Amino acid sequence: MILPLSYYGDPVLRKKALPVEEITDEILQLAQDMIETMESQDGLGLAAPQVGHSIRLFIICVPEKSSEEEDAEMVKGVPEVFINPKLSSPSDETGVFLEGCLSIPKVYGDVVRPMTIHVEAMNLEGEIFERELTDLEARVVMHENDHINGVLFVDRIKGKERKVLEPQLREVKREYYEQGATS
Ligand code: ZN
């Protein structure tokens, strides 16, 4: 089932989400619905607060190279579920990338983040796994992990660049959250 999205202005996006205590049928269903929702929107990731659930769970689906060749085509990645993730050891080396967010439609901005990050999380089977992530995968995980801490990518844009986004953010809030909430 495709779930309705929470948009910029919705207080659920600003809450620090609570840990998942147990993998219940509801959690399994939520993860499945989140994957469908993300795919319907062509997103690279989706965090539970973006569909109104203030819990520490997100999914990512990052395109992969079809082979090791330099000019290999990118193919659709496999959705991965991260529950109660713990991020650590961010690299000193950072990169800049134009980010967007399904909860903030039509708004994009350059965000500086570490190039690599270590993540430990639980999967839907309740098993703990660890990964060393780089590049786009690392970035998407950091973006989604921000969501479960009530942080949005625009918070990481400062100064003049942020000022430029302000009217766009007001417009998104009005169009998607305030009007969306009453219709
Ligand atoms: Zn987002």
Side-chain angles (χ1 to χ4, degrees), residues 45-47 50 99-104 143-144 147 151-153:
L46 187 68
Q50 294 182 274
E99 292 193 21
C101 181
L102 295 180
S103 292
I104 318 176
H143 176 118
E144 300 311 327
H147 272 303
V151 175
L152 300 171
F153 81 91

Side-chain angles (χ1 to χ4, degrees), residues 3-71:
L3 303 169
L5 289 170
S6 305
Y7 291 108
Y8 185 80
D10 192 323
V12 74
L13 294 174
R14 291 308 194 177
K15 282 191 199 157
K16 192 169 162 64
L18 295 172
V20 174
E21 302 289 351
E22 199 188 342
I23 313 288
T24 58
D25 287 348
E26 285 75 25
I27 295 289
L28 293 172
Q29 186 63 50
L30 176 66
Q32 187 54 46
D33 290 344
M34 283 174 61
I35 289 168
E36 274 180 51
T37 305
M38 178 183 64
E39 288 180 339
S40 76
Q41 301 277 341
D42 282 327
L44 297 177
L46 187 68
Q50 294 182 274
V51 291
H53 293 262
S54 192
I55 56 170
R56 305 186 78 77
L57 183 158
F58 62 76
I59 55 173
I60 69 164
C61 189
V62 176
E64 293 164 358
K65 278 185 162 186
S66 56
S67 74
E68 291 296 303
E69 309 275 309
E70 187 72 22
D71 55 353

Side-chain angles (χ1 to χ4, degrees), residues 5-14 50 101-105 107 147 150-155 162 165-179:
L5 289 170
S6 305
Y7 291 108
Y8 185 80
D10 192 323
V12 74
L13 294 174
R14 291 308 194 177
Q50 294 182 274
C101 181
L102 295 180
S103 292
I104 318 176
V107 176
H147 272 303
V151 175
L152 300 171
F153 81 91
V154 292
D155 302 339
R162 171 65 194 236
L165 296 181
E166 283 304 330
Q168 300 176 35
L169 291 172
R170 276 197 296 276
E171 182 56 26
V172 168
K173 186 174 175 186
R174 197 181 59 80
E175 186 183 341
Y176 288 88
Y177 175 59
E178 291 167 354
Q179 292 181 354

Side-chain angles (χ1 to χ4, degrees), residues 56-166:
R56 305 186 78 77
L57 183 158
F58 62 76
I59 55 173
I60 69 164
C61 189
V62 176
E64 293 164 358
K65 278 185 162 186
S66 56
S67 74
E68 291 296 303
E69 309 275 309
E70 187 72 22
D71 55 353
E73 230 188 297
M74 297 303 279
V75 293
K76 206 170 143 298
V78 179
E80 282 182 282
V81 181
F82 293 76
I83 299 168
N84 301 339
K86 287 192 199 78
L87 272 55
S88 59
S89 311
S91 60
D92 292 333
E93 191 194 353
T94 56
V96 182
F97 191 81
L98 190 69
E99 292 193 21
C101 181
L102 295 180
S103 292
I104 318 176
K106 296 179 280 190
V107 176
Y108 301 92
D110 280 327
V111 182
V112 179
R113 295 191 193 269
M115 290 298 284
T116 66
I117 193 96
H118 182 85
V119 61
E120 183 186 306
M122 191 163 69
N123 63 22
L124 285 176
E125 282 76 50
E127 299 156 351
I128 304 289
F129 64 94
E130 285 186 63
R131 298 268 305 278
E132 201 66 46
L133 303 175
T134 58
D135 298 320
L136 186 58
E137 208 175 18
R139 180 167 288 270
V140 175
V141 162
M142 287 184 266
H143 176 118
E144 300 311 327
N145 193 68
D146 274 351
H147 272 303
I148 60 176
N149 290 321
V151 175
L152 300 171
F153 81 91
V154 292
D155 302 339
R156 298 197 174 276
I157 301 172
K158 309 282 182 211
K160 235 186 350 203
E161 285 81 27
R162 171 65 194 236
K163 265 216 170 76
V164 170
L165 296 181
E166 283 304 330

